[in-house]
Amino acid sequence: RYRYLLLSPGPPQAKPREVAHPRTRGTLLFRVPEGWLILSAHPEVRGLQLKDLSQHPIRTGPFLLTWGRASYDPNPRARLLVYQ
């Protein structure tokens, strides 16, 4: 569901609820050491262009956030992996 993301060095201009896509209540906003992470099911959220996780995995701290399918799961989904 959360296939698109944006890593912003500073906080978004709007409050988290206002950043959410109008048709998707599930847009998420997280504070990470590198800034703010916005996850959504849509490539555009309130004028912000988000990147596709399947094309641009993101590394934050010791974690790698990616989009894909595991051998045991037929549905692709966002995955948070520990990266060493």
CSV table of all heavy atoms in Angstrom, one decimal, residues 18-58:
chain,number,residue,atom,x,y,z
A,18,GLU,N,-2.7,17.5,6.8
A,18,GLU,CA,-2.9,18.2,5.6
A,18,GLU,C,-2.0,17.7,4.5
A,18,GLU,O,-2.3,17.9,3.3
A,18,GLU,CB,-2.6,19.7,5.8
A,18,GLU,CG,-3.6,20.4,6.8
A,18,GLU,CD,-3.1,21.7,7.2
A,18,GLU,OE1,-2.1,22.2,6.8
A,18,GLU,OE2,-3.9,22.4,8.0
A,19,VAL,N,-0.9,17.0,4.8
A,19,VAL,CA,0.0,16.4,3.8
A,19,VAL,C,-0.7,15.2,3.2
A,19,VAL,O,-0.4,14.9,2.0
A,19,VAL,CB,1.4,16.1,4.5
A,19,VAL,CG1,2.2,15.3,3.5
A,19,VAL,CG2,2.1,17.3,4.9
A,20,ALA,N,-1.5,14.5,3.9
A,20,ALA,CA,-2.1,13.3,3.4
A,20,ALA,C,-2.9,13.5,2.1
A,20,ALA,O,-3.4,14.6,1.9
A,20,ALA,CB,-3.1,12.7,4.5
A,21,HIS,N,-2.9,12.5,1.3
A,21,HIS,CA,-3.6,12.5,0.0
A,21,HIS,C,-5.1,12.5,0.4
A,21,HIS,O,-5.5,11.8,1.3
A,21,HIS,CB,-3.3,11.3,-0.8
A,21,HIS,CG,-3.7,11.3,-2.2
A,21,HIS,ND1,-5.0,11.0,-2.5
A,21,HIS,CD2,-3.1,11.7,-3.3
A,21,HIS,CE1,-5.2,11.2,-3.8
A,21,HIS,NE2,-4.0,11.6,-4.3
A,22,PRO,N,-5.9,13.3,-0.3
A,22,PRO,CA,-7.4,13.4,0.1
A,22,PRO,C,-8.1,12.1,0.0
A,22,PRO,O,-9.1,11.9,0.7
A,22,PRO,CB,-7.9,14.4,-0.9
A,22,PRO,CG,-6.9,14.6,-2.0
A,22,PRO,CD,-5.6,14.1,-1.4
A,23,ARG,N,-7.7,11.2,-0.9
A,23,ARG,CA,-8.4,9.9,-1.0
A,23,ARG,C,-7.8,8.8,-0.2
A,23,ARG,O,-8.3,7.7,-0.1
A,23,ARG,CB,-8.5,9.5,-2.5
A,23,ARG,CG,-9.4,10.4,-3.3
A,23,ARG,CD,-9.3,10.0,-4.7
A,23,ARG,NE,-8.0,10.4,-5.2
A,23,ARG,CZ,-7.4,9.8,-6.3
A,23,ARG,NH1,-7.9,8.8,-6.9
A,23,ARG,NH2,-6.2,10.2,-6.7
A,24,THR,N,-6.6,9.0,0.4
A,24,THR,CA,-5.9,8.0,1.2
A,24,THR,C,-5.7,8.5,2.6
A,24,THR,O,-4.8,9.3,2.8
A,24,THR,CB,-4.6,7.6,0.5
A,24,THR,OG1,-4.9,7.3,-0.9
A,24,THR,CG2,-3.9,6.5,1.2
A,25,ARG,N,-6.4,7.9,3.5
A,25,ARG,CA,-6.2,8.3,4.9
A,25,ARG,C,-4.9,7.7,5.4
A,25,ARG,O,-4.3,8.2,6.4
A,25,ARG,CB,-7.3,7.7,5.8
A,25,ARG,CG,-8.6,8.3,5.5
A,25,ARG,CD,-9.6,7.8,6.5
A,25,ARG,NE,-9.3,6.4,6.9
A,25,ARG,CZ,-10.0,5.6,7.6
A,25,ARG,NH1,-11.1,6.1,8.1
A,25,ARG,NH2,-9.7,4.4,8.0
A,26,GLY,N,-4.3,6.7,4.7
A,26,GLY,CA,-3.1,6.0,5.2
A,26,GLY,C,-1.8,6.6,4.9
A,26,GLY,O,-0.8,6.0,5.0
A,27,THR,N,-1.8,7.9,4.4
A,27,THR,CA,-0.5,8.5,4.1
A,27,THR,C,0.2,8.7,5.5
A,27,THR,O,-0.3,9.2,6.4
A,27,THR,CB,-0.6,9.8,3.4
A,27,THR,OG1,-1.3,9.6,2.2
A,27,THR,CG2,0.7,10.5,3.2
A,28,LEU,N,1.5,8.2,5.6
A,28,LEU,CA,2.2,8.2,6.8
A,28,LEU,C,3.4,9.2,6.8
A,28,LEU,O,4.0,9.5,5.8
A,28,LEU,CB,2.8,6.8,7.1
A,28,LEU,CG,1.8,5.7,7.2
A,28,LEU,CD1,2.5,4.4,7.3
A,28,LEU,CD2,0.8,5.9,8.3
A,29,LEU,N,3.6,9.8,7.9
A,29,LEU,CA,4.7,10.8,8.1
A,29,LEU,C,5.6,10.3,9.3
A,29,LEU,O,5.0,10.1,10.4
A,29,LEU,CB,4.2,12.2,8.3
A,29,LEU,CG,5.2,13.3,8.5
A,29,LEU,CD1,5.9,13.6,7.2
A,29,LEU,CD2,4.5,14.5,9.0
A,30,PHE,N,6.9,10.1,9.1
A,30,PHE,CA,7.8,9.7,10.2
A,30,PHE,C,9.0,10.6,10.3
A,30,PHE,O,9.5,11.1,9.3
A,30,PHE,CB,8.4,8.3,9.9
A,30,PHE,CG,7.3,7.2,9.8
A,30,PHE,CD1,6.9,6.7,8.6
A,30,PHE,CD2,6.9,6.7,11.0
A,30,PHE,CE1,6.0,5.7,8.6
A,30,PHE,CE2,6.0,5.6,11.0
A,30,PHE,CZ,5.5,5.1,9.8
A,31,ARG,N,9.4,10.9,11.5
A,31,ARG,CA,10.7,11.6,11.7
A,31,ARG,C,11.8,10.5,11.8
A,31,ARG,O,11.7,9.6,12.5
A,31,ARG,CB,10.6,12.3,13.0
A,31,ARG,CG,11.8,13.0,13.5
A,31,ARG,CD,11.8,14.4,13.3
A,31,ARG,NE,13.1,14.9,13.7
A,31,ARG,CZ,13.6,16.0,13.2
A,31,ARG,NH1,12.9,16.7,12.4
A,31,ARG,NH2,14.7,16.5,13.6
A,32,VAL,N,12.8,10.7,10.9
A,32,VAL,CA,14.0,9.8,10.9
A,32,VAL,C,15.2,10.7,11.1
A,32,VAL,O,15.1,11.9,10.9
A,32,VAL,CB,14.0,9.0,9.6
A,32,VAL,CG1,12.9,8.0,9.5
A,32,VAL,CG2,14.1,9.9,8.4
A,33,PRO,N,16.4,10.1,11.4
A,33,PRO,CA,17.6,10.9,11.6
A,33,PRO,C,17.9,11.8,10.4
A,33,PRO,O,18.5,12.9,10.6
A,33,PRO,CB,18.7,9.9,11.8
A,33,PRO,CG,18.0,8.7,12.4
A,33,PRO,CD,16.6,8.7,11.7
A,34,GLU,N,17.6,11.4,9.2
A,34,GLU,CA,17.9,12.2,8.0
A,34,GLU,C,16.9,13.3,7.7
A,34,GLU,O,17.1,14.1,6.8
A,34,GLU,CB,18.0,11.3,6.8
A,34,GLU,CG,19.2,10.3,6.8
A,34,GLU,CD,18.9,9.1,7.6
A,34,GLU,OE1,17.8,8.9,8.1
A,34,GLU,OE2,19.8,8.3,7.8
A,35,GLY,N,15.8,13.3,8.4
A,35,GLY,CA,14.7,14.3,8.2
A,35,GLY,C,13.3,13.7,8.4
A,35,GLY,O,13.1,13.1,9.4
A,36,TRP,N,12.5,14.0,7.4
A,36,TRP,CA,11.1,13.5,7.5
A,36,TRP,C,10.8,12.5,6.3
A,36,TRP,O,11.2,12.8,5.2
A,36,TRP,CB,10.1,14.7,7.4
A,36,TRP,CG,10.2,15.5,8.6
A,36,TRP,CD1,11.0,16.5,8.9
A,36,TRP,CD2,9.4,15.4,9.8
A,36,TRP,NE1,10.8,17.0,10.1
A,36,TRP,CE2,9.8,16.4,10.7
A,36,TRP,CE3,8.3,14.6,10.2
A,36,TRP,CZ2,9.2,16.6,12.0
A,36,TRP,CZ3,7.8,14.7,11.4
A,36,TRP,CH2,8.2,15.7,12.3
A,37,LEU,N,10.1,11.4,6.6
A,37,LEU,CA,9.8,10.4,5.6
A,37,LEU,C,8.3,10.4,5.4
A,37,LEU,O,7.6,10.2,6.4
A,37,LEU,CB,10.3,9.0,6.1
A,37,LEU,CG,10.2,7.9,5.1
A,37,LEU,CD1,11.0,8.1,3.9
A,37,LEU,CD2,10.5,6.6,5.8
A,38,ILE,N,7.9,10.6,4.2
A,38,ILE,CA,6.4,10.6,3.8
A,38,ILE,C,6.2,9.3,3.0
A,38,ILE,O,6.9,9.1,2.0
A,38,ILE,CB,6.0,11.8,3.0
A,38,ILE,CG1,6.3,13.1,3.8
A,38,ILE,CG2,4.5,11.7,2.6
A,38,ILE,CD1,6.1,14.3,3.1
A,39,LEU,N,5.3,8.4,3.4
A,39,LEU,CA,5.0,7.2,2.7
A,39,LEU,C,3.5,7.3,2.2
A,39,LEU,O,2.6,7.8,3.0
A,39,LEU,CB,5.1,6.0,3.6
A,39,LEU,CG,6.5,5.6,4.0
A,39,LEU,CD1,6.5,4.5,5.0
A,39,LEU,CD2,7.3,5.2,2.8
A,40,SER,N,3.2,6.9,1.0
A,40,SER,CA,1.9,7.0,0.5
A,40,SER,C,1.6,6.0,-0.6
A,40,SER,O,2.6,5.4,-1.2
A,40,SER,CB,1.6,8.4,-0.1
A,40,SER,OG,0.3,8.5,-0.7
A,41,ALA,N,0.4,5.7,-0.9
A,41,ALA,CA,0.0,4.8,-2.0
A,41,ALA,C,-0.1,5.6,-3.3
A,41,ALA,O,-0.2,4.9,-4.4
A,41,ALA,CB,-1.4,4.2,-1.7
A,42,HIS,N,0.1,6.9,-3.3
A,42,HIS,CA,0.0,7.7,-4.5
A,42,HIS,C,1.3,8.4,-4.8
A,42,HIS,O,2.0,8.8,-3.9
A,42,HIS,CB,-1.1,8.7,-4.4
A,42,HIS,CG,-2.4,8.1,-4.2
A,42,HIS,ND1,-3.2,7.7,-5.2
A,42,HIS,CD2,-3.1,7.8,-3.0
A,42,HIS,CE1,-4.3,7.1,-4.7
A,42,HIS,NE2,-4.3,7.2,-3.4
A,43,PRO,N,1.7,8.6,-6.1
A,43,PRO,CA,3.0,9.2,-6.4
A,43,PRO,C,3.0,10.7,-6.2
A,43,PRO,O,4.1,11.3,-6.1
A,43,PRO,CB,3.2,8.9,-7.9
A,43,PRO,CG,1.8,8.6,-8.4
A,43,PRO,CD,1.0,8.1,-7.3
A,44,GLU,N,1.9,11.3,-6.0
A,44,GLU,CA,1.8,12.8,-5.6
A,44,GLU,C,0.9,13.0,-4.4
A,44,GLU,O,-0.2,12.5,-4.4
A,44,GLU,CB,1.3,13.6,-6.8
A,44,GLU,CG,1.3,15.0,-6.6
A,44,GLU,CD,0.9,15.9,-7.8
A,44,GLU,OE1,1.0,15.4,-8.9
A,44,GLU,OE2,0.5,17.0,-7.6
A,45,VAL,N,1.4,13.7,-3.5
A,45,VAL,CA,0.7,14.1,-2.3
A,45,VAL,C,0.8,15.6,-2.0
A,45,VAL,O,1.9,16.1,-1.8
A,45,VAL,CB,1.3,13.3,-1.0
A,45,VAL,CG1,0.6,13.7,0.2
A,45,VAL,CG2,1.2,11.8,-1.2
A,46,ARG,N,-0.3,16.2,-2.2
A,46,ARG,CA,-0.4,17.7,-2.0
A,46,ARG,C,0.7,18.5,-2.7
A,46,ARG,O,1.3,19.3,-2.1
A,46,ARG,CB,-0.4,18.0,-0.5
A,46,ARG,CG,-1.5,17.4,0.3
A,46,ARG,CD,-2.8,18.1,0.0
A,46,ARG,NE,-3.9,17.6,0.9
A,46,ARG,CZ,-5.1,17.9,0.8
A,46,ARG,NH1,-5.5,18.7,-0.2
A,46,ARG,NH2,-6.0,17.4,1.6
A,47,GLY,N,0.9,18.1,-3.9
A,47,GLY,CA,1.9,18.8,-4.7
A,47,GLY,C,3.3,18.3,-4.6
A,47,GLY,O,4.2,18.8,-5.3
A,48,LEU,N,3.6,17.4,-3.7
A,48,LEU,CA,4.9,16.8,-3.5
A,48,LEU,C,5.0,15.6,-4.4
A,48,LEU,O,4.1,14.7,-4.4
A,48,LEU,CB,5.1,16.4,-2.0
A,48,LEU,CG,5.1,17.5,-1.0
A,48,LEU,CD1,5.1,16.9,0.4
A,48,LEU,CD2,6.2,18.5,-1.2
A,49,GLN,N,6.1,15.5,-5.2
A,49,GLN,CA,6.3,14.3,-6.0
A,49,GLN,C,7.1,13.2,-5.2
A,49,GLN,O,8.2,13.5,-4.7
A,49,GLN,CB,7.1,14.7,-7.3
A,49,GLN,CG,6.4,15.6,-8.2
A,49,GLN,CD,5.2,14.9,-8.8
A,49,GLN,OE1,5.2,13.7,-9.1
A,49,GLN,NE2,4.1,15.6,-8.9
A,50,LEU,N,6.5,12.1,-5.0
A,50,LEU,CA,7.2,11.0,-4.3
A,50,LEU,C,7.8,10.0,-5.2
A,50,LEU,O,7.5,9.9,-6.4
A,50,LEU,CB,6.1,10.3,-3.4
A,50,LEU,CG,5.7,11.0,-2.1
A,50,LEU,CD1,4.9,12.3,-2.4
A,50,LEU,CD2,4.9,10.1,-1.3
A,51,LYS,N,8.9,9.3,-4.7
A,51,LYS,CA,9.6,8.3,-5.5
A,51,LYS,C,9.0,7.0,-5.3
A,51,LYS,O,8.5,6.6,-4.3
A,51,LYS,CB,11.1,8.3,-5.1
A,51,LYS,CG,11.8,9.6,-5.4
A,51,LYS,CD,13.2,9.6,-5.1
A,51,LYS,CE,13.9,10.9,-5.4
A,51,LYS,NZ,15.3,10.8,-5.0
A,52,ASP,N,9.2,6.1,-6.3
A,52,ASP,CA,8.7,4.7,-6.3
A,52,ASP,C,9.7,3.9,-5.5
A,52,ASP,O,10.9,3.8,-5.9
A,52,ASP,CB,8.5,4.2,-7.7
A,52,ASP,CG,7.9,2.9,-7.8
A,52,ASP,OD1,7.8,2.2,-6.8
A,52,ASP,OD2,7.4,2.5,-8.9
A,53,LEU,N,9.3,3.2,-4.5
A,53,LEU,CA,10.2,2.4,-3.7
A,53,LEU,C,10.8,1.3,-4.5
A,53,LEU,O,11.9,0.8,-4.2
A,53,LEU,CB,9.5,1.8,-2.5
A,53,LEU,CG,9.6,2.6,-1.2
A,53,LEU,CD1,8.7,2.0,-0.1
A,53,LEU,CD2,11.0,2.7,-0.7
A,54,SER,N,10.1,0.8,-5.5
A,54,SER,CA,10.6,-0.4,-6.2
A,54,SER,C,11.8,0.1,-7.1
A,54,SER,O,12.7,-0.7,-7.4
A,54,SER,CB,9.5,-1.0,-7.1
A,54,SER,OG,9.1,-0.1,-8.1
A,55,GLN,N,11.9,1.4,-7.4
A,55,GLN,CA,13.0,1.9,-8.2
A,55,GLN,C,14.0,2.6,-7.4
A,55,GLN,O,15.2,2.6,-7.8
A,55,GLN,CB,12.4,2.9,-9.2
A,55,GLN,CG,11.4,2.4,-10.2
A,55,GLN,CD,11.9,1.3,-11.0
A,55,GLN,OE1,13.0,1.4,-11.6
A,55,GLN,NE2,11.2,0.2,-11.2
A,56,HIS,N,13.6,3.1,-6.2
A,56,HIS,CA,14.6,3.9,-5.4
A,56,HIS,C,14.4,3.5,-3.9
A,56,HIS,O,13.8,4.2,-3.1
A,56,HIS,CB,14.3,5.4,-5.5
A,56,HIS,CG,14.3,5.9,-6.9
A,56,HIS,ND1,15.5,6.2,-7.5
A,56,HIS,CD2,13.3,6.2,-7.8
A,56,HIS,CE1,15.2,6.7,-8.7
A,56,HIS,NE2,13.9,6.7,-8.9
A,57,PRO,N,15.0,2.3,-3.5
A,57,PRO,CA,15.0,2.0,-2.1
A,57,PRO,C,15.7,3.0,-1.3
A,57,PRO,O,16.6,3.7,-1.9
A,57,PRO,CB,15.7,0.6,-2.0
A,57,PRO,CG,16.0,0.2,-3.4
A,57,PRO,CD,15.7,1.3,-4.3
A,58,ILE,N,15.4,3.2,-0.1
A,58,ILE,CA,16.0,4.2,0.7
A,58,ILE,C,16.6,3.6,2.0
A,58,ILE,O,16.1,2.7,2.6
A,58,ILE,CB,14.9,5.3,1.1
A,58,ILE,CG1,15.6,6.5,1.7
A,58,ILE,CG2,13.9,4.8,2.0
A,58,ILE,CD1,14.8,7.7,1.7
